Structure formats: structure tokens, C-alpha cells
Amino acid sequence: MSHNTFGHLFRVTTWGESHGPAIGCVIDGCPPGLALTEADIQPWLDKRRPGQGKFVTQRREPDAVRILSGVFEDSRTGGQVTTGTPISLMIENVDQRSRDYADIAASFRPGHADYAYFAKYGVRDYRGGGRQSARETAARVAAGAVARKVLGEAVTLRAALVQIGPHAVDRSRWDWAQIAHNPFWCPDAEMVPIWEDHLERTRKAGSSTGAVIEGEAVGVPAGWGAPLYGKLDAELAGALMSINASKGVEIGSGFGSASLSGEENADEMRMGEAGPIFLSNQAGGVLGGISTGQPIVARVAFKPTSSILSPRRSINEAGEEIEVRTTGRHDPCVGIRAAPVVEAMMACVLADAFLRHRAQTGGGAFEPGRPGRA
Amino acid sequence: MSHNTFGHLFRVTTWGESHGPAIGCVIDGCPPGLALTEADIQPWLDKRRPGQGKFVTQRREPDAVRILSGVFEDSRTGGQVTTGTPISLMIENVDQRSRDYADIAASFRPGHADYAYFAKYGVRDYRGGGRQSARETAARVAAGAVARKVLGEAVTLRAALVQIGPHAVDRSRWDWAQIAHNPFWCPDAEMVPIWEDHLERTRKAGSSTGAVIEGEAVGVPAGWGAPLYGKLDAELAGALMSINASKGVEIGSGFGSASLSGEENADEMRMGEAGPIFLSNQAGGVLGGISTGQPIVARVAFKPTSSILSPRRSINEAGEEIEVRTTGRHDPCVGIRAAPVVEAMMACVLADAFLRHRAQTGGGAFEPGRPGRA
Amino acid sequence: MSHNTFGHLFRVTTWGESHGPAIGCVIDGCPPGLALTEADIQPWLDKRRPGQGKFVTQRREPDAVRILSGVFEDSRTGGQVTTGTPISLMIENVDQRSRDYADIAASFRPGHADYAYFAKYGVRDYRGGGRQSARETAARVAAGAVARKVLGEAVTLRAALVQIGPHAVDRSRWDWAQIAHNPFWCPDAEMVPIWEDHLERTRKAGSSTGAVIEGEAVGVPAGWGAPLYGKLDAELAGALMSINASKGVEIGSGFGSASLSGEENADEMRMGEAGPIFLSNQAGGVLGGISTGQPIVARVAFKPTSSILSPRRSINEAGEEIEVRTTGRHDPCVGIRAAPVVEAMMACVLADAFLRHRAQTGGGAFEPGRPGRA
Amino acid sequence: MSHNTFGHLFRVTTWGESHGPAIGCVIDGCPPGLALTEADIQPWLDKRRPGQGKFVTQRREPDAVRILSGVFEDSRTGGQVTTGTPISLMIENVDQRSRDYADIAASFRPGHADYAYFAKYGVRDYRGGGRQSARETAARVAAGAVARKVLGEAVTLRAALVQIGPHAVDRSRWDWAQIAHNPFWCPDAEMVPIWEDHLERTRKAGSSTGAVIEGEAVGVPAGWGAPLYGKLDAELAGALMSINASKGVEIGSGFGSASLSGEENADEMRMGEAGPIFLSNQAGGVLGGISTGQPIVARVAFKPTSSILSPRRSINEAGEEIEVRTTGRHDPCVGIRAAPVVEAMMACVLADAFLRHRAQTGGGAFEPGRPGRA
């Protein structure tokens, strides 16, 4: 990963500030011939968009994506497809309200990257957080929509919130169907009112709260990823930790694996009709950095929104001690809108891993009991 | 990160299999003029070396490192220094006992990457795990020793085990001085006998157990790292997740930050004599992907050793169902020897971040209340 | 270099097709604090722009560049400066006349990349050459303008045409001041009417002609570039060969050096007041891939414009034999407009080399007879 | 390309100094399952080896290559194959005679990179040129041997000298079979005695002379390479310019294309039994940066050996004016031994292009008159 580029072969470069004229990304290395129009990207952006519920920021952006390059009419099908050249995507910023931020132009908001940007660059676009803003994640989601095209139908990506504040879901009640029926991507119906109550109290207190998201990729065949520094889980960890407010990443049993015995940890295998079957998935679908064919499972911890109404002690660029209180429109829990971002980052990492695997091996996998690569 | 290379400017490429003639690494991009001899590297390898206690593998390797290139006599000082050209380091393998592994040549050991390697490559050096072996981490430790030279005296790196199996240290008893006085890098003296007992039982049961390591870098100035995909924490996450048996990485409060309130999470700032002072460090020294000048704190979860004596169900390359029991010499807890590896990976990531920061900005940081870059 | 990105630290990613809605680039890794507005970029684009003379295409594009991100008001100076975040530049396409190209939608124009794109991708934006079009070079020129800011005043870049068709300039008459006084960037006033005549005949014959451009960078200090695969001349060769229609690159004496004796080739040195002085510059300012402080001299050969009125035999996507005659607006000599592009690519390579040198060494150079790095 | 690494997917990192204990390279990203033993690499090294004739250095190195990692017995065939993990190759230096170089420890030899290295690094291994030495090219040749395995039998690589000093071959007499029958890789039998005479005079005069090498790759299918900065010819130009003493690279008609008319330049096409046929190859097998299926033709200019007996004026590290006369063993024409190096670099670039093409497209090419990708 470079500063603003991620991926090796499916490479995404994002650009733009929260209150500049636009944000966007350029995707390089996408395979040609994949059907792609704005309509393939827009729905994912709509899922991430602010203004969708009372627990997310009321900033209203249509977040309409525009494809500026890299697609053309396929002479055989008449449909618009990728051409293999760079796909430039742009989303204009239309509701910035820059005036909300003028009073913090020279202040360092605690928990934000204001001070860190100042120390590094000496100058920063403070309007809405500028480049630090979670608004940049819209570009990730747009790129993720293209990555899904690369992965095709065989791979399914989904994400759920598994914890808000101290309240974790009960995994015995897990039902993926539930995530569409509440504004929290919650797979545990009984947890929904508890989270609502927690968020309502948090919002009223002018405070904020953290969250944990679990992402899953089903249908990834065995063989993607590569030892040692291109491990699939290492790439996922880097990509997921790069999301705004992310403070932790784990794969499979993750931190819980520290407490497991070797017997519990070793996912046993049997031979099924269609190939190897694992009897458990403590590994989260990755061993030695290579996919095993099991679902790939990652969890990401998000810290509480740093913009809170409660006054906090800080300093400013002049070195003066101040108090900061962040007014404006902010989600009490940034994690809620991060589920589509987690999915998108997983999609990008997997699309890249697919292309790298195809490069080195031609694609496919060796299967036990069969002579060669499938 | 490429497959076997990590870093952007301080680039480390490792090579070698557990039971091949040697392992090693090539370090490219190291600044010239740094004093470096084998004696600067060997002590870190000695810390990682097997055969140092009853809870680590009895394989005895001198792990003597040899510098094959990239250093020369400095005409001004007469001492041996880096020349800015690639530093090639080699460690010969001298005690492989390949015969121990013959019976698993075509079997997939549960929890290991045997099946994943087979699926991807179709061929693998099964002797001692080949390229999957934690032996590769010796090359990381050697590279880390060079990275420390790049960082200089101002940055201190250290790591402690904070959990073995279900037994976590009591942070109120934390004493860094303790880690030299027990074989577990344990900062909590009272935890030592508990871990000893747990490990003894684990070993007798032919089982294994996991661990959590906490690494810390003190003295990193504000300004290193860069948004958005080159975030310092994202780079750390990728590097630490690439260590063998690692299943999770967190920065600062990590997964715990999900349960924090916004007030708790926002590390408040005051102005001290020598610059900004933070009143807490939930962020673990990184905000927006850029260092803040506070200690950088990362934790890594390690799964239990996958090689266990207890028989586990599996399959082989022929697709037959088998039972696997891993004899041979194995640590009951791979995490114990991973502390120097965590330190080394942090050193490499930080050395790289330092060079990248110097490239883009010239180095130094802007300081509140002062006109320009220090 | 990746497919559509070049540079390591000063990284430029370009996107866009000749007849799509826009073209542009994203520059990542630019140092912060450099004064930058559209007015710093536009003049260079104006130099490259079509419609400026009778020997260049009559397509009229204002080629107005827009900065979409990466700049902000500097609180100290009030001027707009780079922030260290990605600089997104966009140029809208306003005069495409797509209808001119409809008849060649499925034909392979000889000398063009039509067949090669078809073979690779199966689909291509044929309008005006799509991604193959030299229009993409506008993005390079825009990036070059930013690279000049990184290099600062100390480095001067300039380029001249030294050959059109078979007519090479007489180097004894070389006068850099002349290049502003003719439409050919010609440093030899006596060659101008000869080139005019040659081009007029070429245009009337419906033919085209090639050219050679010489670029020079004066003021590059000793020490930039790095052995062995990051050699400054290797980077220049790759960058200059990537320009449309480029077929050859040479540094210093280039192909002529094959005929030199060792005595002639070895640029002798004497010690001057301000440091080493070279008595000749056969090396073109680069030895062992590292700059010597002398002017860096590169020449690039451009083939004739492939779009010609004369009918040429070819085939189409259906595999049928056809004749192709390219109507539309085309320069008889693409090399004429390439001088600003050569300058821009040299600027980008040098800006990148500067940042890489600063990263590894801290910047500056060791000087003979002085104790340390300047 | 990084400093000492080249390639994107087939990545080669070289290390080592001329008079250090060894030189070598690490190849990462090689596909698994390719038959590879030392015997596949050694013959190419033997071709490059010094001590093979009176016009090449009398230094005698066995240049015996050793594979340290990345290969293992294939359980199906019993033969040794690549495993997909890093291939570490090492060649020990056995005949260094460091004493020959002691007198130039602090002098800058004109034409060499001594001064440039000093200016950049402040310290350098001066023995035999250290890292600057053409000895490093042995590592390139070893890597090239592995790249040939990736390319397989279908691609044939060959190189010939086409000029030594001012004497160029007569292309009408070109006969590839001749290159094995003279020590100059000369395809023109009548030129051999002229070169012999020229070299003999050069040697007796204590001088040196330059050369031009032409490399050719036959059998590369259409579709490899990619616009715009990953163009196949741009990658070749960078790789070939990185060879020691290289000062120019051209593709196809190269600099000669500046003098061509558009009609001459446009390689016409007809439809043959087995696909498109080109009636000429001015393009040198690459259009728009993508291979066309024609032979890929590149020429590289080499300057005269910089180490000459004739005294040349220079300075030393103390800033004193001196005269330098290079004794020791040196080829009067470094180009003679560069033919295997040109072949090797072309092989590496092509192997990388093949993998990148397979990554993005799945491999193969679209063919005119047929529905899909072959």
C-alpha cells in the first residue's frame, strides 16, 4: 500500500477532501469485459450514505457516482463493460456547510487527527476534517462495487455489527436475514432495542460509542493469498485497519484464539463429496496466509465518534490550552455506517488476491485425490 | 507488501525453508553510514533462538548470522558501516532432523497451512513446515536489528507477553524490568508461576496454548505514517498479522475502544514545557494513521501451536481420511518466542515510516506555538 | 511503474480516454506547503495544446485544468498550498467530434495500437484512439507542472527538437533562446525553414514524419538516483519510452558512445572553486545510475504519426482484409507537441528521485575535501 | 522498480559486491511446478563468465550458482521443481585479488560511478567497483535462467552484437547461426576479423571501445504489456538501461523511425491461416505498449569500458587533482559479455509481463474473426 493507493494488481487510489469540490477514486488493473455502469455502484453508496436514520449524521448528500473513464460499449453484447483501462469515479460534494467548522480551524480536536496532520504537514484542510473525514470511505465503497464485479457471483460478501458500546450480540441468535430489518446491520433481533436504547442515551448525553463489525466472505476458493508478507489475512488486516476509526482487526477466533487449546484451534478435516470439509472454522478461512475454502471471517473494532458535544481539554496551533466542543452533525456511532465499508475493503482485497493468484498459478486449486489443478 | 517483501523504502525480502540449506533476507534501501556488524544483529537472534528453556522447542540452532553484502569500512572512522547497497543476511540451518517429518509428507496437519499450500502450489517442502515454519521469523529478527540502527537511540522498542492461554497479566502490577527475569517476557511477576503451571499441564497433555503479546515503541516523534492506506497503524496491522500464528492485531485500546464513551476515547491534551502532552493514550500513539508522539502500542494475538501430540482427524493428498499426531520438537506456546519478532516487525515498520516521512516532508514536525518544522 | 501509475514516492496515476467526458491524474506523495494553483499548471498545458499552428492538429481544446483536491489555504501566508494529500487534476474534453471515428470502430489502423488493444482486452474505446490517444499526455504535462514545484527554482528543465524526418540540427548553431521563436522548439534557426518545407511536403502528401527531442535538466545536484534497478537513467528511459510514439531513448552520448574510445568517454574531472568540474559530459549527467551534478541529457525518438491519409493494408476485428485511410485532424509530426511532455516526464522522474534520495540519505551530497554531507 | 529489485510479479532482488564474499539474488513470485535445478542456470552463467577469450577479463571465476531455497521434489514426477516460494541464488566470489584496487580507494576513476557513489553515500566498497561492478550482472543472468522457465519453450530469446566501436554489421549478411562460431556473438561472419583487429588495436593502445547489442524475443503472443506506464517497451527500456554501461535503448526501428515516413512506419497487416500477419516490423513487436505477436526487437548501446590504462585527469575524496590509470584485468569492450545479460533482462521483463497479463485477463488473446479469447 502506498499513501493513498491500495492493492497490488486491483489498485485503488482515492482522493478528495470532505468539503472540497468532489471526492473520487481511480481503479487501475481491473480486468476487461466486466459489465459496469453507475447503476452497479450507486446502490452500495446508498447503503453507506448519511442521512438515513436518526443515529447517523443528518448531512444530506445524494452521493451520486459518475464513471469518467474505463468503460465502453461491448461490440458483442451492446452493454457497457470495463475496458481494462483506469476507471475514474467521482462523487461531487454538494452539502458541505463549511461554516460549521470555522471555529475549529486552528484547534486540535481530541480523538481526531487534527494535531497529527498539523505536526506532519503544517497545513490542513480543516473543513469537516478534510482528508481525515470518513467521507473518504464513499470512494472505498465505490471501488468495492467494482471489486465485486471482479469476484463475480460465486463470492458473497456481507457484514454485520456484532457489538455497539458494551452490548455484544448473542451469537446463538445470529440470523443474517435480520440485518436488513434494522438500521444497525444487527443479526440478533433481540439486541436491536438494547442498541436503540444505548444510542438514544448516548446521543442525549452528547457522547458517542464504539462498535465491532464482523465481515464474512463466502465462496472464496482455496489458494488465494500468499506467504509471507502478502498473506491474505495480513492484507485484510492492513486494509481494515486503514478504515477511519478502526483500532483492531482479528481473523477467525482472533484474540479468542489465545485462550484456545491446540485441539480446539486445529480445525479438523474430513473428505466430502465435493472436496475437503472442515469441521470448524477457528482459522477464519485462512491458514498460512492462504484461503482454505472456508468462509473468511474478519472483525474490526471501531472507536467512538471523536466529535462529541461534551467539552474536552486540548490545545491549538498557537500552543494555547483550550476547550473543544464539537457541534455540527455527527453520528453517535461511526461504526454503524462502516458495515458497507468493511464489505468494500474485503471485496477489494479479495479481488486483488484473486488476480495475484491467477498471475502466479494460472488460477484454480489443487484438490486432494485428483491429479492436477482444477 | 509483495509476497515475500515488506516495506516501501526500508524493504526486507526474506527467503528460505526450515530444512533447506539456509534462510536469510535482503534489506534494500537502508541509509548509508550506519555502524553495522554481525555483533549488532546476533544478540536479537539469540533472544529468539530455540532451545532456551523447557517450554520452547529443543531444536538447537546456533542461528549465526552472516552479513554477505552492504557493509564496508568507513574511511573516516575505520568502523564497518552500511553503504546504502543491499544488505544480504544469511543464517545456515544446521540441525534439521528431516527424518522427523517423513511421515507427514502427504498429510495435511490440522491448524497448519499444509492443505492451503497444497491447494495453491501443488508442491511444498513439507520438512518442518518448509516455508510456513516459524523459523522464517529469524530473518525478520535479523532485519529488525538493522531497522533499529535506522531508528537510532531515540526510539526504544520492547514487547511483553500479556496473556498465555486464559491467564492475562494484571496491568496494575506491570513492571517492564520483570521481563528479563522470567522466560516468558512477563511484566507481572505474580503471573509467572501461573503461566508455568499452565504450560506444564499443557505440555504434559500433549496440547498447546495461545498468547497475546504487547509491543511498544517509545520515542517516535509526531508525524510518522500517512493517510490513508499508508497509515502507520494499518502498516503495523499488516506487518504483525503476517507473523506466523498471528490471528489479531489491535492498536491502543483496540477492541476495548468499542466499549468506550467518546469522552473516554478522546485523549485530552495540555501544553507542556517541551510540547503537547496527552493525558491518556487510548489511541496507542496513532491518530488518523499518523504518530502523535505518544508511545505506539500494539497487541498481537497468537493461536496455540498447531503441532500437537493429540491425534486430530484430517485428510491427505490422496483425499483419504487420516488421523494426524505431530511428534517432533514443538513449543507448547509459539507466542513465547514471538516477542522478539513483534519488536522486530515494529522496528521495520517504523524505520520505513521514518524514511517515508523524511522523503515527503524533509523530516521533523511542526510544533504548536512555533513558526516552522523542527 | 504500475499500469497507469508512475513514480515511487511522487506518484502519478493518470486516467481518461480521448473522447470520454474528461481526462486527469491523481498525484500522491507530493510534499506539503508548496504554493500551487491552477495558474501554476495551465501555462504548461497551453504549451502542449493542439490548435496552435498549422503543423499540429486543429482540434481545439481549451484544456482547462481544475484542481479537485490536495490544496488549501496556508494559515501563515494566506496563499494556496499543497497539503500533502492527493492532488486530483481534471481536464474536461469539450471538442471530441466522435463521428469522425465511427468508420474505424472495428478496423485496426496500421501503426496504431488498435490490434494490440483488441488482442489484449477484446474491447476498446476506439473514439480518437481512446486510451491510446496522445491526449493522455496532457495529464502528464499537468503532473509535470506539480513536479516542477517539488524541484524548485534550482532545477531548470528544457527540451528542444533536434531532428524532424531526416533533418537534424547543426549542434554548432545550438541556441536555446531560439526555441521560443519558432513553432518547432528548434534551437537551430537555420534549420527552421528546412523543417517547414519538409513538413509542408509531408502534409500535402498525406504522410507524416518522425522526430527526435532532446531534454535537459540543469541544476540537479550530485547524488540523485540509485543503483541498480532504480538508476536515474533507467527511470528516465522507462518514463520517456512510455510517451506515445516513443521508440528510443538515450542518455548523454547514447548510441554514439558505442563509437567512442575509452579516453573520449571518460569525462575528466578537475577541482573548481565550488566543487568538482567535469571537462566533458558524455555521461549525460548520470554515472552508475546516480546524478553527477552535470546537466542531465536525454534524447527521445518519436516515430511518424500513424494516422495518415495514404491508404494502408490492414485487417478488421472480423478477420477481413481491408484498407485503412485515416481522415480526421492529425499532426503530420507528433514529435512537435512532445517537447513539453518530455520535459514533464523528466520533471516527474527527477522529483521522485529527489524524494527518494532525501528518504535514504537525508538529502544533500558529500563533497570532496569536506568532512560530511552538505 | 525499486533500488535493487525489478519486476512487479516476477520480482528479482539482487545483492552483493564484486569483492565481497558472494553475490546473489532472490526471485519472488515465480510460478510453482517448474522444473529447476542448478543445471538449468549454470550454462547461462558460463556464457557470461569472464576468462573466456582474450578480449574479456582474465579474472577466473567458476561462477558456480547454488540454489538455497524455493525448490523441492515434486511428489508426482520425482524431479525438483519450483515451489512458488522465494528462490534464493548465490554465487561465491573466489578470485577477487583485492590488492589490485588499493591504490584507487580514495580516487574517482573517470567514467566510473566512483564520484557519484561518494557524493550520494559517503562510503563505498571500492574493491573492484563494489556494487557498481559488472559482476552484478551474473545475478541477472541467473534470474534470467529462471525467467526462461516461466516463459517456456514457446518463447526464444537471443542476442547478437551489431556494432563494436564504429564497425556495424551488414544486416544483409545476418545469420543467427554465426553467433555461436565467434567470441563476439556476431551474426555477420565477415565482420568478425574486422572486430578482432579493432579490439586488438584497442587493447594494445590501453584503450577501450563501445558496442551495440540487439536482442530479440520470438514467440511472444499478442497482448502482453499494458498501457501506459507499464508499457512493454517502457519496461524493457528501464530494464536494459539498468545494465552497467548502457547508454541507450531502442525498440524496432528506434531512432531510425524519426527518419521514416508514416507509410514506411505503419506495419501493414494481412490475414494469414493462423492469424494476422504483419508485412514489416518497424514497431519491433510492440504497439501502444502491448505485444503484437511479432518478434520483439530491442537494441542497447554500451559505452566503452571505463577502466583504461591511459592516464586520465580526475580528483580524489580529499578534493585533490590527480591522474588515474586503471591497471588490473579489464575487458577492452564490456559489450561483448553483455549479450547474455541483455537476453536475461528481456527474459525477466517478459516473464513479468506474462504473469501480469494472465492476472488481468486470464491469459491468451482475442483473435480477429473468432468470438472470444484463445
Side-chain angles (χ1 to χ4, degrees), chain C:
Chain C
M1 296 198 197
S2 171
H3 291 181
N4 292 280
T5 298
F6 68 97
H8 302 263
L9 295 177
F10 184 85
R11 295 169 64 77
V12 180
T13 301
T14 72
W15 56 269
E17 277 80 35
S18 176
H19 287 56
I23 63 168
C25 65
V26 181
I27 300 164
D28 196 11
C30 186
L34 305 173
L36 185 73
T37 69
E38 275 98 350
D40 293 306
I41 304 171
Q42 195 62 49
W44 305 104
L45 284 168
D46 293 346
K47 286 195 177 189
R48 192 213 70 99
R49 200 175 63 202
Q52 306 227 86
K54 68 179 170 182
F55 301 120
V56 295
T57 167
Q58 295 306 303
R59 174 172 169 170
R60 301 220 162 256
E61 296 275 8
D63 271 2
V65 68
R66 201 172 155 211
I67 302 179
L68 295 177
S69 68
V71 295
F72 199 65
E73 187 187 282
D74 184 343
S75 59
R76 286 153 300 193
T77 67
Q80 183 171 279
V81 298
T82 58
T83 60
T85 61
I87 300 167
S88 178
L89 304 177
M90 184 168 72
I91 301 164
E92 289 187 55
N93 292 328
V94 295
D95 178 26
Q96 299 106 337
R97 295 204 207 170
S98 295
R99 64 184 181 281
D100 285 348
Y101 300 96
D103 58 328
I104 52 146
S107 301
F108 303 136
R109 294 169 299 164
H112 278 288
D114 297 350
Y115 168 65
Y117 269 66
F118 169 78
K120 183 174 193 80
Y121 301 118
V123 58
R124 62 203 164 89
D125 183 343
Y126 50 77
R127 300 168 304 162
R131 184 72 181 149
Q132 316 164 37
S133 169
R135 178 148 183 72
E136 186 268 348
T137 60
R140 299 176 186 237
V141 170
V146 181
R148 286 170 198 267
K149 290 284 181 166
V150 176
L151 294 171
E153 301 288 322
V155 175
T156 302
L157 285 150
R158 52 192 184 184
L161 263 74
V162 296
Q163 185 181 335
I164 290 184
H167 308 290
V169 298
D170 180 336
R171 303 183 81 90
S172 71
R173 292 193 300 252
W174 191 294
D175 177 8
W176 276 107
Q178 287 299 319
I179 64 171
H181 299 134
N182 62 73
F184 310 118
W185 314 85
C186 182
D188 171 3
E190 294 185 33
M191 184 51 63
V192 173
I194 299 168
W195 285 358
E196 275 180 342
D197 182 62
H198 174 68
L199 287 164
E200 189 61 28
R201 287 167 190 268
T202 299
R203 196 175 59 78
K204 281 188 180 154
S207 185
S208 62
T209 189
V212 177
I213 292 177
E214 180 166 319
E216 185 180 88
V218 180
V220 174
W224 294 9
L228 282 157
Y229 306 108
K231 280 181 172 167
L232 187 55
D233 39 0
E235 299 274 339
L236 284 168
L240 296 172
M241 191 68 96
S242 80
I243 302 175
N244 297 49
S246 166
K247 297 303 286 183
V249 179
E250 55 182 12
I251 305 294
S253 297
F255 279 86
S257 64
S259 308
L260 297 177
S261 70
E263 290 80 3
E264 292 164 327
N265 176 66
D267 300 314
E268 292 184 298
M269 300 177 78
R270 295 283 83 182
M271 196 65 194
E273 295 284 309
I277 293 172
F278 287 88
L279 306 184
S280 56
N281 189 15
Q282 307 284 7
V286 187
L287 284 169
I290 301 171
S291 62
T292 61
Q294 289 203 280
I296 290 170
V297 180
R299 270 179 304 284
V300 193
F302 290 91
K303 67 181 184 184
T305 312
S306 297
S307 298
I308 50 178
L309 280 166
S310 316
R312 306 304 292 160
R313 288 172 289 174
S314 189
I315 61 173
N316 63 18
E317 292 189 12
E320 298 158 341
E321 301 194 335
I322 57 170
E323 284 213 333
V324 177
R325 229 182 125 251
T326 310
T327 56
R329 300 153 299 174
H330 300 288
D331 296 354
C333 176
V334 284
I336 296 175
R337 287 209 282 128
V341 184
V342 167
E343 283 184 18
M345 293 308 285
M346 290 181 75
C348 289
V349 168
L350 289 168
D352 193 44
F354 162 58
L355 299 183
R356 294 169 89 186
H357 177 63
R358 184 160 72 176
Q360 192 179 12
T361 69
F366 283 88
E367 294 183 19
R370 296 190 187 165
R373 191 179 294 275

Side-chain angles (χ1 to χ4, degrees), chain D residues 210-236:
Chain D
V212 177
I213 293 177
E214 180 166 319
E216 185 180 270
V218 180
V220 173
W224 293 11
L228 282 155
Y229 306 108
K231 281 179 172 169
L232 187 55
D233 38 1
E235 299 274 338
L236 284 168

Side-chain angles (χ1 to χ4, degrees), chain B residues 13-50:
Chain B
T13 301
T14 73
W15 56 268
E17 278 79 37
S18 175
H19 287 56
I23 62 168
C25 65
V26 182
I27 301 164
D28 195 11
C30 186
L34 304 174
L36 185 72
T37 67
E38 275 99 349
D40 293 304
I41 304 172
Q42 195 62 50
W44 305 104
L45 284 168
D46 292 345
K47 286 194 176 188
R48 191 212 72 97
R49 200 176 62 202

Side-chain angles (χ1 to χ4, degrees), chain B residues 38 42 45-46 61-66 90-92 135:
Chain B
E38 275 99 349
Q42 195 62 50
L45 284 168
D46 292 345
E61 295 275 8
D63 271 0
V65 68
R66 200 173 155 211
M90 184 168 72
I91 301 163
E92 290 186 56
R135 177 145 185 74

Side-chain angles (χ1 to χ4, degrees), chain B residues 3-192:
Chain B
H3 291 180
N4 291 282
T5 298
F6 68 99
H8 302 263
L9 294 177
F10 184 86
R11 296 168 63 77
V12 180
T13 301
T14 73
W15 56 268
E17 278 79 37
S18 175
H19 287 56
I23 62 168
C25 65
V26 182
I27 301 164
D28 195 11
C30 186
L34 304 174
L36 185 72
T37 67
E38 275 99 349
D40 293 304
I41 304 172
Q42 195 62 50
W44 305 104
L45 284 168
D46 292 345
K47 286 194 176 188
R48 191 212 72 97
R49 200 176 62 202
Q52 306 227 87
K54 67 178 171 181
F55 302 120
V56 294
T57 168
Q58 295 306 300
R59 173 172 169 171
R60 302 222 161 255
E61 295 275 8
D63 271 0
V65 68
R66 200 173 155 211
I67 302 179
L68 295 178
S69 67
V71 295
F72 199 66
E73 187 187 282
D74 185 343
S75 57
R76 286 153 299 195
T77 66
Q80 183 171 277
V81 299
T82 58
T83 60
T85 61
I87 300 166
S88 178
L89 304 176
M90 184 168 72
I91 301 163
E92 290 186 56
N93 292 326
V94 295
D95 179 25
Q96 299 105 336
R97 292 202 209 173
S98 295
R99 66 184 179 281
D100 287 347
Y101 299 98
D103 58 327
I104 53 147
S107 301
F108 303 135
R109 294 168 298 164
H112 278 289
D114 298 349
Y115 168 65
Y117 269 65
F118 169 78
K120 184 174 193 79
Y121 301 116
V123 58
R124 62 204 165 87
D125 183 343
Y126 50 76
R127 299 168 304 163
R131 184 72 181 148
Q132 316 163 37
S133 168
R135 177 145 185 74
E136 185 269 348
T137 60
R140 300 176 185 239
V141 169
V146 181
R148 287 170 198 266
K149 290 283 181 166
V150 177
L151 294 171
E153 300 288 323
V155 175
T156 302
L157 285 150
R158 51 193 185 184
L161 263 76
V162 297
Q163 185 180 333
I164 291 184
H167 308 290
V169 299
D170 180 335
R171 303 184 80 90
S172 70
R173 290 192 301 252
W174 191 293
D175 176 8
W176 278 107
Q178 287 300 317
I179 64 172
H181 299 135
N182 62 74
F184 311 117
W185 315 85
C186 182
D188 170 4
E190 294 185 32
M191 184 52 62
V192 173

Side-chain angles (χ1 to χ4, degrees), chain A residues 1 8 136 207 229 263 310, chain B residues 1 8 136 207 229 263 310:
Chain A
M1 294 199 199
H8 302 262
E136 186 267 349
S207 184
Y229 306 108
E263 289 78 3
S310 315
Chain B
M1 295 198 197
H8 302 263
E136 185 269 348
S207 185
Y229 306 108
E263 290 79 2
S310 315

